[in-house]
Structure formats: structure tokens, C-alpha cells
Amino acid sequence: MVQYYNPENDLALAAGYANYTPPMAAQRLRKAGEMLPMWYGKPGDQVLCFGVNARWWDTMTEKFWLETRIWDHECDRNIPSPWGWSLPVRDYYLDLGFTLGIPSDKDIEKIRELSHRRTAAALGTTLRETLPDMPLTEPAIEAKTIAEVEQAIAWHGGQVMVKFPWSSSGRGLANSRLMGIDKTLRMAQESISKQGSVMVEPLHERSLDFALLFECRGGDGCLCHGTSVFATDERGKYIGNMIASESDRRAEIGKHIDLGIIREVEQTIWKWLIKNVGPYYEGILGVDMMVTTDGKLDPCVELNLRKTMGWVAKRFSDDHLTPGVRGTLRVLPGEYRAAEAIVENHRMVAGELALTPANPYFTFLVKI
């Protein structure tokens, strides 16, 4: 696989055309993180990056015994594996000469359709119907007119979260409690004008954010890859991920909700993905969830048909962290001079580690 980090992919899906140019902040995030796949790629995978800091790459490879390598410009036998699929990244691989594993326009359109937040709402509805005795929250509804938005806001006593159908990392979200009803309605109108509709869901006080990670593998079915635990602010903006073993992540989730509920939800989602996503999408995906302060589970806050920072955190934890150690992975704006990382037997024990070379834009920081 030739891994490529294109974090602007959700924005490209929202745009829906091949010559999309992402905003400067997204371009800088992509540039800052272009070597990030070296940490989550499988042995033998290559990383599609240019202008590599060879000294830094060699140091990290030796220190952590990494088995990924830099792309060798061989295209004919290599399968592309971007952060996420959209028309711009498809054309980017084609321009470089890749021929295998390239999705068609129809494939990309289906991925775009499934990435619409109405898919997450449909999964949430299925979970409520399949598991009627579970303490699950009410799923979001799709509104195509401002009148429908106003009706939903009134139904929930003015306490709602409004979301653009395609957006990520806390963008395109409006918390009516923080923004006020008038501004929330203006944002809803913007979403309806640009993307055809808007998603509206009841506002909840959160106790924990976490996700279940899966991999759709075409005819080979769907794999459950475990969990990620992360944090967001009250506006829904991503803050960071927990770095820890799977057992420690599950234990953290268990402090907030019965793990038996999570196991049943996980199995139901797995079956749903095989039927509704597996025929159209191959790759890593994440189902974001939230435990509320009143003990309920929002079982599908987001459905991300792409790799996520939770996937990065999981892969780093599994492959490069000393068992029993816990920490955080955060994306910090600007350049951050990390303290020295303590590494024993090719695994991190303590300290700080920047997962990409120093740059003026963003730092992907692991801190133990």
C-alpha cells in the first residue's frame, strides 16, 4: 500500500468536484503531516511524501524499528491507500501514474453519499430499533428547510447541535446554547444553501467521547479493530486522543458506561457495516460515540469513512508504546520543540515525541 495523508478529504467530498482547492489551513496541515503514515502503515507500506527529512526519517526508523518506507516511485504494482477517498485525491494518484486500486467516479460518488451525515443518523435509528432496551439517545434528523430546523429547535427546547452534512474536526457545527438561536439558524440556512440540507440533533452534556474502529475488506467482510478514546471541546472541535493499550482504553470507557452495552452495539454496527457499507467501501473507518452525563449512549455521532486520528493513536499505542504506559496525542498549531522521548526496546516509555519533523504549521505530539 502507498499511504497518503490528505486530511482535507471531508472538505473535498463536500465540494464534490475534482479541481477542489482546500483552504490554506488544510493545506498546511497536510504538508505538516505528510510523514504521519510512517506510524500507522503496515510493514512494507510506503509513504507518499516529497522533500523528506532523511536524517529525521532514519532516526525514527531506527529508534522505533519502523517497517514503512518512502515511496519509491513505482506505480504499476502499488495500491494507493489515502487518508480518505475523494475526486481530488483519486486524480492525484492518477497523475502520479497509479493504475491499480483506483476508484471510479461512481465509486467516489457512493463514498460521498455514504459520508453524508444522514448515514450516521440511519445507523443510529437502526441501533435504537435493534436494541430497544439500551439507553441510547435520539438520532439526528435531516432538515431541508429552515421551517423544519425551527420545528426541531422548538421540539428540543432550543437546545440543539446543527451540523453541515459534510464536515470534520469540529467544523460546520453550531451549538445553539453557545451561538444563540439566530446565529444557529443562519448557519443552518448556509448549510441548506451549500449542501442541500442540515442535520439537527438534541444537545447533550458529554461525559466521554470515544469511537469504534473497523475495516471493510470487500469480499473478506469487516474487521473490528477496537476503540479510540478522544476529547473534544464544547463546540465539538477535536482536542486529542488517549494513547494507551486497548485494555486500558476499554477500561476508561467502562468508567462511564457498561461495557456489555458497548459489545452489543459493536456487534450490531459490524453487521450493519457488512450490509450497508462493505459493498461500496474498502478501508479503515471510525464510528464516533458519546456517553452523556445522564448515562446514555449516542452510538453514532459521526461515521467517518476514512482513517482518523483515533486510528493513528491506536496504531501508535499497539506498535510503539510500552505496555502499561498512558499518554495523549494532540495536534498543536505552530512549531513545538518536544522534550526528549525515552525509548526502550523500540517502544516509548516517557517524554514527548513529535511524529513529524519540525515545521512552522502544526505539531503531532505524543506526550507520556
Side-chain angles (χ1 to χ4, degrees), residues 289-304:
M289 303 185 175
M290 175 179 66
V291 183
T292 67
T293 53
D294 59 357
K296 291 185 177 181
L297 176 69
D298 187 336
C300 192
V301 178
E302 306 282 354
L303 174 63
N304 296 306

Side-chain angles (χ1 to χ4, degrees), residues 81-158:
S81 181
W83 186 257
W85 278 113
S86 57
L87 290 174
V89 75
R90 190 274 306 274
D91 286 1
Y92 182 61
Y93 274 109
L94 286 173
D95 289 344
L96 290 172
F98 286 82
T99 57
L100 299 176
I102 299 292
S104 66
D105 283 357
K106 184 178 180 180
D107 296 332
I108 296 290
E109 182 54 36
K110 188 61 180 182
I111 291 171
R112 183 176 188 270
E113 177 186 330
L114 288 170
S115 297
H116 192 293
R117 281 194 166 100
R118 70 166 69 98
T119 308
L123 173 53
T125 298
T126 296
L127 287 164
R128 284 177 60 88
E129 292 173 350
T130 306
L131 305 170
D133 297 327
M134 295 295 178
L136 306 182
T137 63
E138 183 178 340
I141 60 103
E142 182 178 9
K144 297 184 179 180
T145 67
I146 282 297
E148 292 175 342
V149 177
E150 291 175 332
Q151 184 178 20
I153 290 175
W155 177 260
H156 294 296

Side-chain angles (χ1 to χ4, degrees), residues 10 83-84 114-116 119-120 123 210-216 222-228 230 241 266 269 272-273 277 281-289 299-312 314:
D10 290 342
W83 186 257
L114 288 170
S115 297
H116 192 293
T119 308
L123 173 53
F210 69 102
L212 296 179
L213 303 171
F214 298 88
E215 182 180 3
C216 288
C222 182
L223 298 179
C224 301
H225 278 300
T227 64
S228 75
F230 60 98
N241 272 88
E266 185 174 35
I269 292 175
W272 186 91
L273 290 172
V277 175
Y281 172 80
E282 291 188 34
I284 301 299
L285 63 93
V287 181
D288 289 355
M289 303 185 175
C300 192
V301 178
E302 306 282 354
L303 174 63
N304 296 306
L305 297 187
R306 55 173 171 78
K307 300 176 180 73
T308 64
M309 290 306 295
W311 179 247
V312 179
K314 172 196 161 44

